[in-house]
Amino acid sequence: MNPARRTTPAATTATAVVLATAGALLGTAAPVASAATTCNSPVYKRQFFANTAFSGTPKRTDCDTAIAENWGAKAPATGLPKDNFGVRWTVTRDFGSGGPFALTVAAQDGIRVYLDGKVKVNLWKNVTTTQKKTVNLAIPSGKHTLRVDYANWSGNANVNFAYTPRTSATVDKVKPLAPTGASATYDKTADKVKVSWAKNKEMDLSGYRVYRQVQGRTGWAKISGTANLSGTSFTQPVVPTGTAFLYEVRAVDKAGHESAGSADQLVTTVDRTPPTVTDLKVLSETALDGLTLWWMSDGGPMTYQLLRSSAADGPFEVIASNLGNSAGDETAPYGETSYYKVAATDAAGNTGYSSVVSFARPLAVPHLVNSVNRPEDGGGVDLTWWMSPYAPAEFRVYRHDDTAGTQLVSCDPELTDTTYGLRFTYSCTDTTPVPSTAYRYWVTSVDALGRESKPSQRIGKFYRDATAPLAVTGFTATATEYGTVLDWEDSPAADLAEYNVFRVSTENDGTDYTWVGQAEPGTTRFVDTDLQDGETQTYFVDAVDTSSNSIHNSAGDPYETTHTTVTEHDLRPTVETPADGLVSLNAQVADGATAVDLTWDLDTSYYGTDITGYRVYRWNPATAAYEPLTAAPVTGMSYTDTTAAVGTTHFYWVTALHADGTESAPGDAWVALAP
C-alpha cells in the first residue's frame, strides 16, 4: 500500500493536514471533514471514501500524479477498510486543440471514467480478476474535466488509468492550436531578431516552426530549419535594408499537422538605402479618363510622387502625391508628348527616382453615348456625347446612309452637363434626317491648330416616321359561350406591323386597359377566351406600323372614340368547389381543337400512398350538377374528354379516391372550346 505516493509539493501542506485528520479518525466515532486541497493541473485530486457510493465526507484527500495503484487485499490508506471503499480522482486541464484520445483502464473491481460529467468507460462490477478496456474518443478543444471513480467491494484492489493522444496521421486529423504570447525584438546593434512565444498546451506536441514574410507580400518562408524547435525562442540574423518583416510561430503535432500561425509580429530593419523605382510604364489611355501609369519599387512602405515635363531633360513638375504604385494623369496635353518620372520616398526618408518615360497623347476622341429620334417634335435626331474638360470643345458631327453616303451634319453642339467633373456632356440635334432611313452617326474633335481627332464609336439609328395608322373601323364585339369575338375592318396603312388588343373591365375605373393579345396584318378577327363570367368588358384594337407608331402611343386619350363594350355570358357553375388543395387540375384544348386534355397532380406536401384512382367530372348546365365522365375510376394522372361539345366553355372536377373509399375535395379547371 502506498497511499501518500506522488503527492505534489503544491499540495504538501494540505496532504499533511489530511493525514493528520485521517489519523484522528481512527480514534473518534464521528468523521471529520477533510481540509480543502488544491492540486495543480495536470495532477489529480484524489479522494478516499469508506463506501462505494462516494457518499459523505472523504476520509482523506490528497494529490496524485498518476492513477496506478495495486493495494492487493490491504486497505488503501489508514482509517479505511480493506473492502467496500471508493477512490475518486478528478482533474481539469487544457487539452489544447483536442482530438483523438485513448482512455485505457484496468481495475479490480469497478471503474467508471467521466468526461465533463458524461460516462465514457463503465466497468462497474465486482470481479475476481482485473478487467481491462480501451476506449477511443475525440475530446474537444479547450478545458475539460476527467473524473475516475474506483470501487472495491471485496478481495484484491488494483486500478490503472491513462489518457493519451492518438498520434497516427491516419487517426489524428486535428491541427494543434496556434502558439500564443508571440513577440519579436530587433537588436539594431547586432542586426538580429529574437522571436519568443509561450509553451503550447498540446499533449501530442512535436515542436515549433518559425516563419517570416516580407510585409505587403504573399507567401511565408520557414526560417527555423528542417527540425522542429523544442524550445520557446528563436534568433535569426537580418540584413539592415529597411525591410519590414512579419514573423509568426506555428506548432506541429506528432501526426505532422501544423497549426495556424501565431499573431504576426512586425519588425522593421534599419534603412539607409535609397529605394529603386523600376518598370515605369503607361498602362492605358482613354479620351475621358486620361493616362494610367504604373511602376514597381524595391519593397517596403513608400510614398510616391508623379512628375511631368514637356521635355525629356525637364524641368519636371509634381502633378500627383501620396500615391500607391500607380497614378492617373487626366490633364496631359492632347496632341503633345509628355515626359514622366516617379520619386519614391521610403519610411526612413530616402528618396530615389525612376527612369524617364514618354507618351504622345493623341487628339481627344469624343465618346458618343446616345441618339434619340424626335419626329413628334418636328423632326430630328438628338445626339449626346462625353468629352474630357481638358480637351478642346470644337466638334464635327457626321452621319452616313446607304443612299447619300457620309455627310457633315450642321448642328450647334452645346455643353449640357458638368456634373461628373471629368466627363462633360455635350449634345446637338440633326434636324435634316429623312424618315424611314437608317443612319450611322459619329463625332470628332478639332483642336486649336485645326487638327481633327479619330472618330468616336458609331451609333446606328433608324429614323422612323411620326404618323400613326388610323383607328380601326367596323369594330364589333360579340359575346359567345367560348369567349368574346372581336371583328374589324383591315387597316389601310401600307406599313402595318400588327394589331394589339386591349380591354378594361367594369370592375375598375374604366381607364386601365390591359393588353390581351395580338393579331398579324391581314387578320381582322380575335377571340378573347377569358372566362365568361358575366362581366362587362370594353375593348380597344390598336393598329401599329413598322415604326412603332399607333394611336395608343400617341398623345391624348383615344379610348373615348375607338372602343366597343360587350357583356359576357355568365357560364360559371352554380355549385361552388370545396376547398381542399389535394388535387391540382389543368385543362387545355387538345390537338385538333375538338377535345379537352386534362392533367393533374397531387399537392407536393402529400406523402400518402393510399390513392387508388381518380374521378373525372364535367359540369352539366342542364342538370346544374357535375357529372362523372367514366363509369370506372381513372388510374393515371390524365384524361382526354372527346365528348366535349365545341363552341362553349367546359368546367371540370377531378377528385382522388382513397383506399378507405372516401373521395377528396375536387381540383377544378375550365377551358373554352372554340368552334
Side-chain angles (χ1 to χ4, degrees):
M1 180 175 67
N2 185 17
R5 179 184 51 77
R6 293 182 298 275
T7 300
T8 62
T12 300
T13 302
T15 303
V17 173
V18 173
L19 288 173
T21 304
L25 287 172
L26 297 177
T28 48
V32 180
S34 299
T37 300
T38 300
C39 303
N40 296 326
S41 179
V43 174
Y44 294 96
K45 179 179 180 179
R46 181 172 60 174
Q47 297 172 298
F48 293 88
F49 294 84
N51 56 74
T52 58
F54 302 94
S55 61
T57 302
K59 297 299 184 179
R60 173 178 173 170
T61 301
D62 60 13
C63 298
D64 203 356
T65 58
I67 302 175
E69 302 289 356
N70 186 1
W71 291 297
K74 299 178 181 179
T78 303
L80 289 170
K82 65 182 182 64
D83 293 321
N84 291 309
F85 65 84
V87 184
R88 172 173 288 166
W89 289 266
T90 56
V91 64
T92 298
R93 70 167 299 162
D94 194 326
F95 283 82
S97 62
F101 275 75
L103 306 185
T104 304
V105 300
Q108 180 184 351
D109 295 323
I111 184 170
R112 285 179 179 148
V113 180
Y114 298 80
L115 177 65
D116 295 330
K118 295 182 180 180
V119 176
K120 299 301 180 180
V121 180
N122 189 3
L123 299 177
W124 201 250
K125 58 184 177 179
N126 191 356
V127 293
T128 57
T129 59
T130 300
Q131 51 185 341
K132 299 179 180 180
K133 187 172 184 179
T134 297
V135 174
N136 295 327
L137 78 166
I139 297 181
S141 63
K143 287 186 177 182
H144 301 281
T145 298
L146 280 171
R147 190 182 95 202
V148 179
D149 287 355
Y150 169 75
N152 173 259
W153 288 281
S154 63
N156 290 332
N158 63 76
V159 58
N160 283 271
F161 169 74
Y163 59 101
T164 56
R166 302 175 68 199
T167 60
S168 170
T170 59
V171 174
D172 184 4
K173 304 296 182 181
V174 180
K175 293 182 178 181
L177 296 178
T180 60
S183 65
T185 56
Y186 173 41
D187 185 341
K188 297 181 180 180
T189 302
D191 289 323
K192 293 181 178 180
V193 173
K194 181 179 180 180
V195 182
S196 302
W197 57 93
K199 184 178 180 181
N200 196 285
K201 298 182 182 297
E202 305 295 331
M203 292 183 62
D204 60 344
L205 186 70
S206 173
Y208 305 92
R209 297 169 183 169
V210 180
Y211 288 81
R212 188 181 74 176
Q213 180 189 77
V214 177
Q215 188 185 35
R217 299 183 185 176
T218 58
W220 291 88
K222 185 172 69 170
I223 60 174
S224 55
T226 57
N228 296 330
L229 301 173
S230 58
T232 57
S233 67
F234 174 77
T235 301
Q236 182 202 34
V238 291
V239 179
T241 58
T243 304
F245 294 105
L246 294 175
Y247 290 85
E248 70 176 35
V249 186
R250 304 176 192 176
V252 184
D253 65 17
K254 294 179 180 179
H257 301 307
E258 186 178 78
S259 74
S262 64
D264 295 345
Q265 303 300 311
L266 176 64
V267 170
T268 302
T269 61
V270 176
D271 181 12
R272 301 181 184 89
T273 305
T276 301
V277 182
T278 60
D279 294 331
L280 175 62
K281 62 184 67 175
V282 176
L283 286 184
S284 62
E285 187 273 339
T286 66
L288 293 176
D289 301 323
L291 284 66
T292 300
L293 298 100
W294 177 88
W295 57 88
M296 293 182 62
S297 70
D298 55 2
M302 299 280 181
T303 58
Y304 299 98
Q305 293 178 315
L306 180 65
L307 298 87
R308 186 181 72 198
S309 174
S310 59
D313 55 355
F316 283 86
E317 176 187 2
V318 176
I319 62 171
S321 300
N322 299 320
L323 305 171
N325 67 333
S326 65
D329 180 16
E330 66 275 3
T331 65
Y334 288 92
E336 305 293 338
T337 298
S338 295
Y339 298 86
Y340 298 90
K341 67 179 180 180
V342 172
T345 303
D346 62 20
N350 303 304
T351 300
Y353 293 89
S354 70
S355 58
V356 176
V357 298
S358 63
F359 183 78
R361 193 176 191 185
L363 297 173
V365 179
H367 184 81
L368 185 60
V369 294
N370 199 13
S371 61
V372 180
N373 280 321
R374 290 200 307 107
E376 66 280 1
D377 297 335
V381 175
D382 286 341
L383 301 167
T384 303
W385 62 89
W386 293 332
M387 191 64 173
S388 166
Y390 305 104
E394 297 294 329
F395 304 98
R396 291 174 185 167
V397 179
Y398 294 88
R399 78 181 184 201
H400 178 90
D401 67 81
D402 293 339
T403 301
T406 300
Q407 301 169 299
L408 186 63
V409 176
S410 177
C411 68
D412 186 15
E414 178 184 359
L415 177 62
T416 58
D417 190 5
T418 61
T419 303
Y420 297 102
L422 294 181
R423 47 181 64 190
F424 286 179
T425 302
Y426 294 84
S427 62
C428 75
T429 300
D430 177 12
T431 60
T432 62
V434 178
S436 299
T437 303
Y439 292 101
R440 283 182 298 164
Y441 288 92
W442 64 90
V443 184
T444 64
S445 71
V446 181
D447 70 4
L449 300 178
R451 297 178 296 180
E452 187 174 15
S453 73
K454 293 181 179 180
S456 68
Q457 64 270 51
R458 290 167 169 79
I459 292 183
K461 178 60 63 177
F462 181 80
Y463 187 67
R464 60 180 177 84
D465 71 86
T467 304
L470 297 175
V472 299
T473 58
F475 183 35
T476 63
T478 305
T480 72
E481 289 190 359
Y482 57 87
T484 301
V485 179
L486 306 178
D487 289 287
W488 62 88
E489 295 178 356
D490 200 9
S491 172
D495 58 346
L496 185 70
E498 61 193 20
Y499 296 101
N500 284 319
V501 181
F502 300 85
R503 77 165 179 234
V504 65
S505 172
T506 53
E507 294 291 324
N508 57 28
D509 61 5
T511 61
D512 186 13
Y513 277 79
T514 301
W515 182 87
V516 294
Q518 188 178 83
E520 299 297 324
T523 302
T524 59
R525 178 182 174 86
F526 180 86
V527 180
D528 181 6
T529 58
D530 196 25
L531 178 63
Q532 300 296 290
D533 55 2
E535 289 189 16
T536 298
Q537 305 280 8
T538 298
Y539 289 90
F540 166 65
V541 174
D542 189 39
V544 184
D545 66 15
T546 56
S547 295
S548 298
N549 298 306
S550 74
I551 294 177
H552 185 294
N553 295 328
S554 302
D557 182 6
Y559 307 132
E560 295 299 324
T561 58
T562 57
H563 66 268
T564 186
T565 300
V566 63
T567 299
E568 303 168 339
H569 295 291
D570 190 354
L571 305 180
R572 292 174 296 176
T574 56
V575 175
E576 292 188 5
T577 301
D580 185 300
L582 177 60
V583 178
S584 176
L585 179 61
N586 176 66
Q588 62 182 15
V589 178
D591 291 343
T594 60
V596 177
D597 284 338
L598 301 173
T599 57
W600 56 87
D601 290 305
L602 294 179
D603 186 274
T604 55
S605 63
Y606 177 74
Y607 297 102
T609 59
D610 65 333
I611 303 301
T612 61
Y614 302 89
R615 289 284 187 191
V616 181
Y617 298 87
R618 185 177 68 205
W619 173 254
N620 186 343
T623 62
Y626 279 94
E627 298 175 349
L629 293 180
T630 62
V634 176
T635 58
M637 303 289 282
S638 64
Y639 177 78
T640 299
D641 181 11
T642 59
T643 65
V646 297
T648 188
T649 300
H650 297 283
F651 298 84
Y652 294 91
W653 276 357
V654 171
T655 63
L657 301 177
H658 296 280
D660 62 2
T662 58
E663 190 172 0
S664 74
D668 64 321
W670 64 270
V671 65
L673 200 57

